[in-house]
Amino acid sequence: MNEPQTDTPVDAAFTKALPKIELHAHLTGSITRQCLHEIWVTTLSENPAFALEDPLVAIPPGKVDFDVNTFFPLFSQYIYGLCNTRASIIYSTTAVLQDFQSDGLVYLELRTTPRSCHDLSKDDYVSTVLDCVRNFKSDTMNTNLILSIDRKDTADQAMQTVDLAIKHISSGVVGIDLCGNPLNGDVTVYRAAFAKAKAHDLKLTLHFAEVLASSSEIELNALLSYEPTRLGHVINVPDNIKDEIIKRQLGLELCLTCNINAKLISGGFPDHHFRYWKDKGCPLVICTDDVGIFCSPLSNEYLLLAEHFGLKRKDLAELNKGAIDNNGKMGRDEQIEEREVLDSIFADEITDISDTSYRIAIPLEVVQHDDETEAPPTLLLTVTYPGTYPDIPPDLTLSAPPDAPKHTHLDIQDDRTRLLSALQPVIDENLGMAMIFTLVSTLKDSAELLISERQAAAQSLKDIVAARAEEEENRKFHGTAVTRETFLAWRDRFRKEMAEAEEKRREDKEAEDKKRRIKAEDRLTGKQLFEKGLVGKVEEDEEEEGGADLVRPVRELEVED
């Protein structure tokens, strides 16, 4: 953001345009009267016997002076009765998200107490709210959820809330809150629940010293013993507890309008304890608490700071930057720790770009085939930590080393989307935890598998071509293959041919025999030949016919008188 002009007065346009972060906003308390009225109209049209009166009557516009005795019944006796179906929760949650986005927020943590209602279990309720957050799809505002333990809850009920938070960590639940009427309950019964939340890396944010009745040293020391990340309100804090807060540099969620209108402090805005805490070194976050009830959006809270504490544009920008850095700082320790671990694993492959950005070279292991000589490729994964990583995904960029030769089976430019998409299930599964090593391993495996698949496809094609060539060559040296079927067909043809040949031989022999018989029957005796004067003729004929042996005896015959 450009450096603000320090001599230009702070106005509503400036504070609205300022990118802001909200860490203490109760979901149900952030629903506007108009949104509640629209839900009431819809409910009444579906059920004319609906008994609750119009929110614009029950919570008149302009009424903001709800104290601790009138504020909490407003929810238990009215708003929860109006927003008690899946449809009404979806409608109101979406409206709340839209309102915060319109006010210039870049990061929002909504907090809500899981509750069962008309058609929802507590688990259904949490899932419905998370679905609304996911479906909102804002390009300018990231949103996560904190589940609240109400001070009137039993230890078992508190544990149920923590279990729900653990179940939904991967869907955007980032912490546990302790809230509710500060006049109720014993906070020491929640030790086991908070310990379990911490064991699962859920952050703790606690309403702290909200009224005198909840500000005994016993209670406050008990709350501090749970090792919270942030404290809300911090109004009636004894000096020795203040010293401990400053020593720990805990993040503080300060709500101006809420504290004034609910009469949680004496005096007006200039008397707000922001004045005390602003110079103590603790990260400060300005918040709204219940903007739907007290009607002061976050941009107006910044405007009030400028008006009552003399803050200039530069002061507000620095305060806001501190709020953003504080939210990042809650995850910064995890980022630094992860970075140190990655240094030990990728000592030669990792290169710093900035405090929150670095690049890891990922050499791939590729099996080389006989005809392949190119070097295995290397991937460059650039990682940038957003302020709230690991509660939100890291920013990832994939590239190839400069001047790297193009690999036959991997093109970073063409395959980038496919490879990064393969990381999404891993990111979803590991939100809230350090995940870069897992992402690097998954990326390496995915790229190597892709190359292996393409190598196998190329080799398969080569094998098909070679097999066809070999088959064509073998045809030159091989006749028809003998099978049972071809042998039987040949045998039948052979037998038929042999039978036909035998039949022809028999027919030829019979024809020859017949011819001979006919000739024998037609031949004349010698006497007959002589009497007919055919001796010479017969001789000639027989000689021509090869019958000389038959004529010779006739020639030698002597005839007596």
Side-chain angles (χ1 to χ4, degrees):
M1 193 175 78
N2 294 331
E3 187 74 15
Q5 299 295 320
T6 56
D7 57 348
T8 304
V10 175
D11 57 17
F14 172 78
T15 60
K16 187 167 186 176
L18 194 66
K20 297 175 288 297
I21 182 170
E22 169 68 84
L23 303 182
H24 189 128
H26 296 273
L27 171 57
T28 309
S30 298
I31 306 171
T32 65
R33 290 162 169 81
Q34 180 59 36
C35 179
L36 292 173
H37 171 72
E38 292 165 4
I39 293 172
W40 178 81
V41 169
T42 299
T43 304
L44 192 64
S45 67
E46 296 172 351
N47 179 18
F50 187 61
L52 290 179
E53 63 181 343
D54 188 339
L56 298 180
V57 175
I59 317 172
K63 179 176 175 55
V64 293
D65 56 342
F66 294 93
D67 61 20
V68 70
N69 294 310
T70 58
F71 177 80
F72 292 100
L74 188 62
F75 293 90
S76 59
Q77 298 176 14
Y78 186 80
I79 298 179
Y80 289 160
L82 185 60
C83 298
N84 68 345
T85 64
R86 187 186 302 271
S88 60
I89 291 169
I90 292 173
Y91 187 86
S92 58
T93 301
T94 304
V96 167
L97 293 170
Q98 184 60 59
D99 289 342
F100 277 116
Q101 178 179 260
S102 298
D103 196 39
L105 269 70
V106 295
Y107 181 73
L108 168 65
E109 283 182 359
L110 282 176
R111 56 186 69 187
T112 188
T113 303
R115 56 190 175 92
S116 56
C117 45
H118 185 265
D119 56 350
L120 300 173
S121 65
K122 289 184 177 182
D123 191 13
D124 293 334
Y125 173 83
V126 174
S127 296
T128 299
V129 173
L130 288 170
D131 286 344
C132 289
V133 172
R134 181 171 57 254
N135 294 333
F136 189 66
K137 298 184 185 304
S138 172
D139 294 328
T140 59
M141 181 179 75
N142 290 323
T143 303
N144 285 316
L145 194 65
I146 295 172
L147 297 190
S148 299
I149 296 171
D150 193 300
R151 289 176 63 111
K152 71 176 184 298
D153 287 345
T154 65
D156 287 341
Q157 289 171 326
M159 189 64 77
Q160 291 171 13
T161 297
V162 171
D163 287 339
L164 282 175
I166 294 169
K167 176 180 178 180
H168 292 285
I169 284 177
S170 62
S171 299
V173 174
V174 297
I176 293 292
D177 167 42
L178 177 65
C179 67
N181 191 332
L183 302 178
N184 295 334
D186 176 8
V187 300
T188 63
V189 303
Y190 305 132
R191 183 170 300 278
F194 287 134
K196 187 172 184 177
K198 293 283 289 184
H200 286 80
D201 296 323
L202 287 166
K203 300 177 179 65
L204 300 184
T205 174
L206 310 176
H207 284 58
F208 193 87
E210 202 169 358
V211 297
L212 283 173
S214 63
S215 302
S216 69
E217 291 200 24
I218 293 176
E219 173 166 323
L220 300 183
N221 280 318
L223 293 176
L224 289 176
S225 72
Y226 301 147
E227 299 182 352
T229 304
R230 302 193 306 256
L231 301 176
H233 297 296
V234 288
I235 300 171
N236 302 284
V237 185
D239 289 343
N240 60 322
I241 302 296
K242 288 179 181 177
D243 292 341
E244 183 63 23
I245 292 172
I246 295 169
K247 178 181 176 181
R248 297 192 191 187
Q249 291 289 280
L250 295 177
L252 304 181
E253 305 159 355
L254 303 183
C255 309
L256 277 71
T257 299
C258 164
N259 294 165
I260 300 299
N261 289 343
K263 299 181 177 56
L264 297 179
I265 67 170
S266 58
F269 287 104
D271 304 304
H272 193 275
H273 46 289
F274 169 80
R275 188 180 302 280
Y276 172 85
W277 288 110
K278 70 183 181 66
D279 297 320
K280 296 297 185 282
C282 292
L284 302 184
V285 186
I286 304 304
C287 305
T288 58
D289 200 3
D290 297 281
V291 64
I293 304 301
F294 297 111
C295 303
S296 179
L298 190 57
S299 59
N300 190 60
E301 297 295 283
Y302 276 89
L303 194 61
L304 291 170
L305 285 176
E307 178 183 351
H308 296 288
F309 297 95
L311 300 187
K312 306 299 184 184
R313 290 192 172 206
K314 182 178 180 180
D315 300 326
L316 293 178
E318 289 179 351
L319 177 63
N320 184 64
K321 183 179 183 298
I324 295 175
D325 289 345
N326 172 47
N327 187 62
K329 186 178 179 181
M330 291 186 296
R332 186 64 182 141
D333 291 342
E334 297 173 359
Q335 296 172 11
I336 294 172
E337 181 179 350
E338 180 180 42
R339 182 66 178 78
E340 291 173 350
V341 171
L342 293 174
D343 265 334
S344 65
I345 298 174
F346 304 111
D348 299 326
E349 293 86 8
I350 196 165
T351 303
D352 281 322
I353 299 174
S354 69
D355 289 342
T356 58
S357 183
Y358 51 87
R359 182 180 296 113
I360 301 176
I362 309 172
L364 303 183
E365 299 175 18
V366 179
V367 176
Q368 299 279 46
H369 293 279
D370 295 338
D371 58 345
E372 294 179 338
T373 59
E374 60 186 338
T378 296
L379 307 179
L380 297 181
L381 180 66
T382 301
V383 180
T384 301
Y385 289 142
T388 55
Y389 171 86
D391 296 326
I392 64 174
D395 295 327
L396 303 175
T397 303
L398 187 61
S399 60
D403 302 323
K406 186 175 180 179
H407 194 271
T408 303
H409 302 300
L410 187 71
D411 188 320
I412 302 301
Q413 184 173 355
D414 293 341
D415 297 323
R416 180 184 293 114
T417 300
R418 175 174 177 174
L419 292 172
L420 291 177
S421 296
L423 301 180
Q424 192 57 51
V426 180
I427 293 173
D428 293 341
E429 183 177 349
N430 288 275
L431 281 176
M433 299 180 287
M435 67 179 78
I436 302 303
F437 175 76
T438 305
L439 293 178
V440 170
S441 300
T442 302
L443 179 60
K444 183 174 185 294
D445 291 344
S446 297
E448 290 173 350
L449 178 60
L450 181 59
I451 292 174
S452 177
E453 290 173 345
R454 289 174 175 171
Q455 285 178 323
Q459 187 61 44
S460 177
L461 183 59
K462 290 179 181 178
D463 291 345
I464 291 173
V465 172
R468 288 177 178 173
E470 182 179 0
E471 180 182 353
E472 191 65 28
E473 183 67 20
N474 288 340
R475 286 177 181 172
K476 301 176 182 179
F477 306 100
H478 295 283
T480 303
V482 177
T483 64
R484 184 176 185 278
E485 290 75 14
T486 59
F487 171 76
L488 293 176
W490 169 84
R491 186 186 67 178
D492 291 342
R493 289 195 305 271
F494 177 77
R495 287 177 176 177
K496 182 178 180 181
E497 290 172 359
M498 293 300 294
E500 290 174 349
E502 177 64 21
E503 178 65 20
K504 188 175 184 305
R505 187 190 65 78
R506 185 182 61 78
E507 290 176 352
D508 291 346
K509 183 175 181 303
E510 288 178 354
E512 182 66 24
D513 290 347
K514 182 178 180 180
K515 182 178 180 182
R516 287 177 180 176
R517 285 195 303 270
I518 293 172
K519 287 183 178 181
E521 291 174 357
D522 292 343
R523 183 172 293 147
L524 299 176
T525 65
K527 183 179 179 180
Q528 290 171 329
L529 290 170
F530 182 79
E531 290 175 347
K532 293 182 176 182
L534 299 174
V535 174
K537 177 69 174 176
V538 170
E539 182 178 357
E540 292 174 0
D541 292 341
E542 288 183 352
E543 284 179 355
E544 292 175 1
E545 295 175 3
D549 290 342
L550 297 175
V551 176
R552 186 178 297 114
V554 176
R555 289 176 178 174
E556 295 176 353
L557 181 64
E558 295 182 0
V559 180
E560 296 180 357
D561 295 333

